[in-house]
Amino acid sequence: SKRKAPSDSTNPNHDFCEFLTELADYEKNVTRNIYKCNAYRKAASALAKYGKRIKSGEEAQKLDGIGDKISKKIDEFLGTGKLKKLDNIRSDETSVSIKELTRVSGIGPAKAKELYDLGITNIDILLKHQDKLNHHQIIGLKYLNDFEEKIPRSEVIKVEQIIKKTLHDLDPKYKVTICGSFRRGKEFSGDIDTLISHPSFMSHDTKKKSNKLQVVVDILKKNNLITETISLGDAKFMGVCKVDSVSRRLDIRLNPYDQFYCAVLYFTGSDLFNKQMRDHALHQGFTLNEYTLRPMGCTGIPGEPLEINSEEDIFDYLDYPYKKPEERNI
Ligand code: DCP
Ligand code: MG
Ligand code: MN
């Protein structure tokens, strides 16, 4: 989900992290510069991990991911209590509109700009122009307030138990793993990322149509857990579920049983961690995705998938020190 809660107040650098996150969101949604966005996110994550209050830009610059420009911003913030760049962003009409429109699940920066150019500059106006939206965006708008509420672990666990029980009753061979920020140990999540697999579904099965996921979704709808479908394919469901009073975004992926560990690694994230790990893999002469880890031949053509029996195996092949899920929060 797009709205990350600002780092909690036990982080001594939490005010820096907040302004860096606001700058990251601006680069993602308004300028659409993912490179700058990631640079700000990386810096925020380095400051959050540091554990001590930063006293100067110079001190911050010693950390990995903080360069000259961010160091200067820290000095400006320490000196004046604010940032000119952020003041400008906050008073810029276009930025304000795009920020508001991208609150809707399914509305990304490009769609927000398109709506803005049509004169749709806020949610109130958008409510009257739903003919401009696709199914995902209409659901996003309908549940805007619910989807912005973070999901506590206790509620994710309730959903996990319902899915586990339901699938076990359907067929005890189903394996269900909640991934995403929940698996990384976060107290609150933006959505619920569920990975399922079944030993009768293997990567070498070329039999095209499998309606396993459809069956799973139908039964979870009958159980009144799933309330809406945003999209449903052979391997990926996006939708809405509800156990308590708030509707929640639920993602379900069905991945081949023999590719479980690559899938669990990918779906656990974070997205930045995945990017870092994929880059490391390429550097080591491998290609890694949510299905397989493969060595790259000297011709640049990926070889046969390596045999993997745990997440640790993937780290081992890559000569990358193992990180527990809670250590993948970058
Ligand atoms: N993912 C990825 N790259 C993306 C999107 C997702 O690698 N562009 C992977 C890593 C994510 C996981 O999928 O951790 C789940 O995606 P979410 O968007 O649900 O992100 P999180 O669960 O990490 O955070 P949130 O609490 O906001 O849902
Ligand atoms: Mg998630
Ligand atoms: Mn998700």
Side-chain angles (χ1 to χ4, degrees):
S1 72
K2 47 191 85 177
R3 307 200 97 209
K4 303 283 169 193
S7 311
D8 62 289
S9 47
T10 59
N11 165 8
N13 296 308
H14 111 118
D15 47 354
F16 302 137
C17 293
E18 268 169 33
F19 82 63
L20 290 167
T21 304
E22 196 173 336
L23 289 169
D25 288 346
Y26 168 76
E27 296 296 347
K28 183 175 80 186
N29 294 324
V30 184
T31 65
R32 286 182 258 171
N33 186 331
I34 284 302
Y35 175 82
K36 283 192 183 175
C37 166
N38 286 342
Y40 283 127
R41 280 182 61 190
K42 198 172 170 210
S45 134
L47 288 173
K49 267 207 305 234
Y50 188 54
K52 288 187 304 229
R53 175 68 178 172
I54 288 282
K55 296 276 193 316
S56 69
E58 196 188 352
E59 182 187 356
Q61 210 168 336
K62 296 199 181 93
L63 302 178
D64 186 28
I66 300 187
D68 189 46
K69 284 188 193 141
I70 290 174
S71 152
K72 286 209 170 77
K73 287 192 171 58
I74 287 171
D75 280 331
E76 182 189 341
F77 190 83
L78 283 169
T80 67
K82 61 195 193 80
L83 282 186
K84 279 204 203 83
K85 186 178 167 81
L86 262 191
D87 287 348
N88 292 337
I89 290 168
R90 286 175 184 164
S91 61
D92 175 63
E93 261 180 57
T94 315
S95 299
V96 170
S97 286
I98 288 177
K99 188 173 171 180
E100 179 162 334
L101 296 172
T102 54
R103 284 167 52 196
V104 176
S105 174
I107 297 186
K111 179 69 187 185
K113 181 66 168 47
E114 183 191 311
L115 294 167
Y116 176 80
D117 289 339
L118 292 168
I120 302 168
T121 53
N122 62 44
I123 301 288
D124 269 349
I125 302 174
L126 185 61
L127 284 166
K128 289 177 272 178
H129 291 86
Q130 300 196 32
D131 56 310
K132 300 284 183 297
L133 302 180
N134 67 27
H135 177 62
H136 183 174
Q137 294 154 350
I138 290 169
I139 301 267
L141 189 56
K142 178 173 170 188
Y143 296 103
L144 177 62
N145 293 321
D146 278 9
F147 290 173
E148 284 187 333
E149 276 193 47
K150 289 279 176 178
I151 315 169
R153 285 190 81 76
S154 56
E155 194 175 326
V156 180
I157 291 166
K158 280 191 200 172
V159 171
E160 177 182 34
Q161 281 167 350
I162 293 168
I163 296 177
K164 280 192 167 159
K165 165 104 178 59
T166 308
L167 295 203
H168 189 270
D169 290 350
L170 185 66
D171 181 340
K173 293 201 183 78
Y174 267 110
K175 183 148 86 175
V176 176
T177 312
I178 308 289
C179 300
S181 48
F182 175 83
R183 188 160 182 265
R184 301 198 308 277
K186 291 279 189 185
E187 279 309 315
F188 292 91
S189 294
D191 66 357
I192 301 167
D193 300 300
T194 308
L195 176 64
I196 62 175
S197 63
H198 188 281
S200 81
F201 177 44
M202 302 289 270
S203 58
H204 53 74
D205 294 341
T206 42
K207 186 169 60 93
K208 260 239 165 120
K209 264 267 173 275
S210 151
N211 65 343
K212 270 202 163 46
L213 190 54
Q214 168 89 59
V215 169
V216 164
V217 168
D218 282 347
I219 196 160
L220 291 170
K221 277 192 174 168
K222 267 206 204 90
N223 270 3
N224 293 316
L225 179 71
I226 291 179
T227 57
E228 305 257 19
T229 295
I230 292 170
S231 63
L232 175 61
D234 287 345
K236 195 171 159 206
F237 164 84
M238 290 172 69
V240 184
C241 71
K242 190 162 125 172
V243 273
D244 292 335
S245 53
V246 185
S247 291
R248 307 299 196 179
R249 274 277 296 107
L250 172 69
D251 285 336
I252 304 177
R253 299 174 83 100
L254 171 69
N255 280 53
Y257 201 76
D258 53 318
Q259 298 178 338
F260 176 79
Y261 296 102
C262 281
V264 99
L265 178 72
Y266 168 82
F267 212 21
T268 298
S270 67
D271 54 354
L272 265 190
F273 176 83
N274 287 352
K275 188 177 153 13
Q276 228 172 66
M277 187 129 175
R278 277 195 308 266
D279 289 347
H280 177 84
L282 282 177
H283 189 77
Q284 298 281 97
F286 293 87
T287 171
L288 173 67
N289 61 26
E290 64 180 294
Y291 307 107
T292 55
L293 174 66
R294 290 169 297 167
M296 293 290 272
C298 44
T299 51
I301 298 163
E304 284 302 303
L306 295 163
E307 187 183 325
I308 286 158
N309 295 302
S310 65
E311 278 185 295
E312 282 89 339
D313 279 357
I314 303 168
F315 289 83
D316 280 350
Y317 277 121
L318 297 176
D319 211 4
Y320 196 83
Y322 179 70
K323 299 263 189 287
K324 288 180 284 190
E326 311 83 71
E327 298 169 321
R328 301 178 202 164
N329 283 307
I330 58 162

